[in-house]
Amino acid sequence: MEHFRRKTPEEILLSISKLHQGRLKVYIGSVSGSGKTYHMLREGQSLKTQGIDVVISAVSTMQRPETIEQIGDLERVPSIHWWKDGIEKKDLDIDALIKRNPEVVIVDGLAHRNREDAPLKTRLEDIQRLIRHGMSVITTINVYELEDVRSVVQKLTKIEVVETVPTDTLSLADEVVLIDVTPETMLNRVAEGKLLSLDDMGIFKRGNLAILRELTLRLVAEGVNDSLEKYREEWGLIGPSGAGERILVSTQYHWNGSIYMRRGQQIAKRLNGELLIVTFVNKDKELTREAAVFKRSQLKLANRIGAEFTELPLCARRELPKVLVNYALTNNVTRILLGHSKQTWWQEFWHGSIVHDMLKRTRNVDIFIVADRAEHDGERILPTKVAKSEEEVDLFRRLSSQEMVQKIEQIKRGTFQVFIGSAPGVGKTFTMLREGNHLLKKGIDVCIGLLETHGRKETQAQINELEILPRKVIEYRGTHLDEMDTAGIIRRNPEVVLVDELAHTNVPGSQYKKRYEDVLEILAAGISVITTVNVQHLESLNDAVEQITGVRVRETIPDHILRLADEVQLIDVTPESLQQRMKDGKIYNVEKIHQALNNFFRTGNLIALRELALREIADDVDERLESWERNESLRGPWRRQEVIYVCLNKTQHAERLIRRGFRIAYRLKAIWYVTFVQLERTHNTTVMTEQLEALRKLTERLGGKFEILTTSKQKHIPMVLVSKANGYQATQMIIGQSKTRLWKEGWQGSIIKKILRATRHLDVLVVADFEPLN
């Protein structure tokens, strides 16, 4: 492992030189007014209470009272004021700061350009000079002020940006923290007159705000992924992390190579993943003229779609699966994409099946087999306009009485806001209480319905004047337990109620099993709800979280609950800061700290969960953007109506396949079905019946349709599944990796092999077994 390797003299000298330098922390947001300066100043106050020497300079409060309040008694080193086009500018007085020599300097506007006669041209250069002098710097930047992002922003929003910094500036920072804010919150601030002076560029349009927010989330997620890969490399961990997607397309210099590449591009875009292309070439043999033409076109296509293209030396056919799987594991691939086999049963028996041999070797890597429909449907994977939605077509249709009742219920429903984080202790409850106090000051009736401070003093202090409603006491087996009093909240009828820990399972004897069900009743009563949840509690991410952390999260919420929210806001914290909070006793009691830091709160876990949260909220923003704009998303369109068909014949890993089916169907806006096939002679025990009922409930909770089919013989299972898939006009089939022993497979035949031979007109995703990676 890399961390055990002896350091070279050069590395030792570099480490010593870094000891004399300050740290750089950057707060990044999607737009001005998102709260970066507020959080930066709040951190300055926190550092000062710890005895650290902090000063501020060139900080722009925009005269917002809550931001000015955060300055408090922080010492200010005067900046140099000057004017440009009637606008006041502030440059850092570097000489004064060096003379004062504080431990930390807080300064706004990393992309700021200094006056013409300044010693250094940009604030970035000023900050780098301060860092070399041993001072740490905390600063702010907007996503559109990064050079490479500027052109994307201009293309998508028509916004012109003047002052920028190189995109790799963020890689210089020791910490990058995202201050997430929803378009709704920003538009409310505009309506309150707080941000009108900032709208010179036309940023404050709902669509523009959503695009900028998504770009910010994805940019930070990419940075987190880089740090995760570096961490895993240092610890000698191979294979996918479980947090991000990386698609590997195996192709040839053949006419269908570009089809597979396009399909891979489409999947990678929709899943927000990276794309790698690999092909096998005989280095000792010159390419034919036809193959050379295909090579040129594929290289050109790879460059255009931003894919990494690699040639591997051609090896014996039976060695191909081993080489391909090893390459995938080395490059942290999550999904290998290749074409259906054209071999007959006898050829597969004699020569072996590449796909089957790959499945024997893979863990945590899915195999996606692409249907070749070019002869029948044309090149269906090429991007095209998305067809009009039913909602668009039905705009002029008169509503039925039932639809009218549903619309009225939606109008009467309270507003639903969710603060989501990557792990406990990121500050969700703190932020929820702060939001409640902010609303209270505006004259809105706010109450606390359920609060869990876990003894955290900072969180407790945020209660201030908020009214805490009493809990309901429930007697269970001679013990008195307390729970949120939903009926009491509805009787009290506040305008807004704060409810902590949305994924909580209620105590036995409660009206509802889960707290989110209580929240739905409160919303239906016309009361707005602000709540908190961690990303690991989303039902469809349950398997990914177990893969990352080795921990199966038992308390979950259906994904559609998050989609019901009017606003979903991410509370972002770096792993270093979160671990420091843990060490300071701000998350768990002292006796639990050591255990937590060596288990769930390990650095690799926290980095991966942070990336997972960033990508999940970015996808949520993208879905909402599509519905607002009725336009294609940043992830690109999906050409045709997809139908996803999930096949089950065992209860083991069945939940995982169902969750995977849901996530794929949700990304593709597809309908999806789940079929469980069992033998007619099978006698369902009570346990089996309960397991099947649990699978049905999970499918229906996630929005799918579940059914049970029977067949007389084991060997008929593949044909039953294929026949049903054809009946549903499925476009993609999802099956699990086989665990059948070799002798049994030889006797009964391989279900996967039979399905693949019968579904060459379909895309087939074989979901790999997985092992926890921590």
Side-chain angles (χ1 to χ4, degrees), residues 29-34 142-145 153 157-161 183 186-187 190 195-196 198-213:
S30 53
V31 291
S32 295
S34 57
N142 294 314
V143 70
Y144 49 78
E145 293 170 334
V153 169
T157 68
K158 312 304 181 193
I159 294 170
E160 296 282 350
V161 182
M186 292 304 299
L187 291 173
V190 171
L195 304 176
L196 290 177
L198 298 175
D199 202 20
D200 298 334
M201 296 188 292
I203 287 176
F204 296 113
K205 298 175 183 175
R206 193 179 193 184
N208 286 352
L209 290 170
I211 290 170
L212 292 170
R213 185 188 180 202

Side-chain angles (χ1 to χ4, degrees), residues 281-424:
V281 177
N282 188 342
K283 301 290 185 181
D284 300 325
K285 189 176 179 181
E286 189 175 345
L287 291 175
T288 65
R289 180 178 298 179
E290 186 181 48
V293 171
F294 286 129
K295 177 178 179 177
R296 285 195 298 273
S297 66
Q298 288 179 24
L299 286 172
K300 190 181 295 184
L301 176 58
N303 184 59
R304 190 161 66 247
I305 64 179
E308 181 182 318
F309 195 100
T310 304
E311 288 185 340
L312 295 178
L314 185 65
C315 52
R317 192 178 184 282
R318 289 191 179 272
E319 290 295 311
L320 284 175
K322 178 182 176 181
V323 174
L324 200 53
V325 169
N326 287 343
Y327 182 87
L329 292 174
T330 304
N331 289 276
N332 302 326
V333 165
T334 59
R335 185 176 301 193
I336 302 174
L337 185 149
L338 64 166
H340 268 286
S341 170
K342 297 289 196 299
Q343 294 186 116
T344 63
W345 176 89
W346 175 250
Q347 287 173 323
E348 280 189 0
F349 176 79
W350 187 254
H351 298 293
S353 164
I354 291 178
V355 171
H356 200 64
D357 289 346
M358 286 171 62
L359 289 171
K360 290 177 183 177
R361 298 175 178 276
T362 55
R363 290 292 182 275
N364 305 328
V365 181
D366 298 340
I367 307 295
F368 189 89
I369 301 102
V370 181
D372 184 6
R373 301 195 192 94
E375 292 181 11
H376 306 287
D377 298 342
E379 215 169 294
R380 63 181 282 271
I381 41 68
L382 293 175
T384 64
K385 295 275 186 182
V386 180
K388 287 187 176 181
S389 67
E390 291 182 14
E391 188 178 347
E392 281 185 272
V393 175
D394 292 349
L395 283 175
F396 295 98
R397 183 176 60 81
R398 181 181 289 119
L399 296 176
S400 67
S401 57
Q402 185 179 358
E403 290 170 330
M404 187 70 74
V405 170
Q406 290 176 345
K407 290 284 185 183
I408 292 171
E409 286 178 355
Q410 289 175 2
I411 293 168
K412 290 168 64 178
R413 198 193 80 164
T415 300
F416 188 24
Q417 183 175 13
V418 179
F419 289 111
I420 190 169
S422 57

Side-chain angles (χ1 to χ4, degrees), residues 516 537-543 552 554 556-560 646 648 651 653-663 672 674 690-706:
Y516 72 78
H537 293 297
L538 285 177
E539 177 68 54
S540 69
L541 292 179
N542 202 256
D543 304 304
R552 170 65 72 175
R554 298 300 172 188
T556 61
I557 62 169
D559 291 54
H560 74 84
V646 182
L648 309 174
T651 55
H653 304 312
E655 288 189 359
R656 184 162 179 262
L657 288 173
I658 291 171
R659 293 189 189 99
R660 180 62 64 88
F662 160 74
R663 288 191 68 78
W672 61 293
V674 178
E690 289 176 352
Q691 288 176 335
L692 290 176
E693 184 59 26
L695 295 178
R696 179 189 299 278
K697 287 181 178 178
L698 174 61
T699 303
E700 291 174 352
R701 193 162 68 239
L702 293 173
K705 297 177 183 177
F706 184 87

Side-chain angles (χ1 to χ4, degrees), residues 100-284:
R100 170 63 179 77
N101 194 29
E103 290 178 275
V104 178
V105 177
I106 290 178
V107 56
D108 253 327
L110 181 59
H112 170 80
R113 291 192 177 278
N114 295 333
R115 63 200 186 282
E116 289 186 6
D117 58 344
L120 298 173
K121 293 182 179 180
T122 66
R123 181 153 296 163
L124 175 59
E125 293 172 279
D126 288 336
I127 287 173
Q128 289 173 321
R129 186 177 174 194
L130 293 175
I131 289 171
R132 287 194 296 271
H133 275 79
M135 286 173 262
S136 294
V137 177
I138 306 176
T139 187
T140 64
I141 194 169
N142 294 314
V143 70
Y144 49 78
E145 293 170 334
L146 296 166
E147 183 60 46
D148 288 356
V149 180
R150 175 172 63 174
S151 58
V152 179
V153 169
Q154 187 173 344
K155 178 182 177 182
L156 295 174
T157 68
K158 312 304 181 193
I159 294 170
E160 296 282 350
V161 182
V162 178
E163 295 183 340
T164 62
V165 296
T167 302
D168 63 1
T169 300
L170 294 184
S171 65
L172 303 174
D174 299 279
E175 284 187 72
V176 177
V177 179
L178 168 67
I179 302 301
D180 186 35
V181 64
T182 64
E184 292 82 2
T185 298
M186 292 304 299
L187 291 173
N188 284 338
R189 291 175 185 175
V190 171
E192 292 169 359
K194 294 181 178 179
L195 304 176
L196 290 177
S197 60
L198 298 175
D199 202 20
D200 298 334
M201 296 188 292
I203 287 176
F204 296 113
K205 298 175 183 175
R206 193 179 193 184
N208 286 352
L209 290 170
I211 290 170
L212 292 170
R213 185 188 180 202
E214 183 179 351
L215 286 170
T216 312
L217 285 158
R218 297 203 189 283
L219 180 78
V220 177
E222 287 175 12
V224 173
N225 181 260
D226 290 342
S227 62
L228 177 60
E229 289 194 0
K230 182 179 179 182
Y231 171 86
R232 290 174 59 78
E233 184 180 337
E234 288 175 355
W235 284 84
L237 300 171
I238 62 170
S241 68
E245 293 278 356
R246 183 171 281 187
I247 314 301
L248 174 65
V249 177
S250 174
T251 186
Q252 297 174 301
Y253 294 140
H254 191 261
W255 68 270
N256 60 7
S258 61
I259 293 180
Y260 296 159
M261 289 172 67
R262 285 284 193 182
R263 183 65 162 155
Q265 177 210 12
Q266 191 185 40
I267 292 170
K269 231 182 169 184
R270 231 26 224 187
L271 298 179
N272 185 34
E274 295 180 53
L275 183 63
L276 291 79
I277 314 292
V278 66
T279 187
F280 291 90
V281 177
N282 188 342
K283 301 290 185 181
D284 300 325

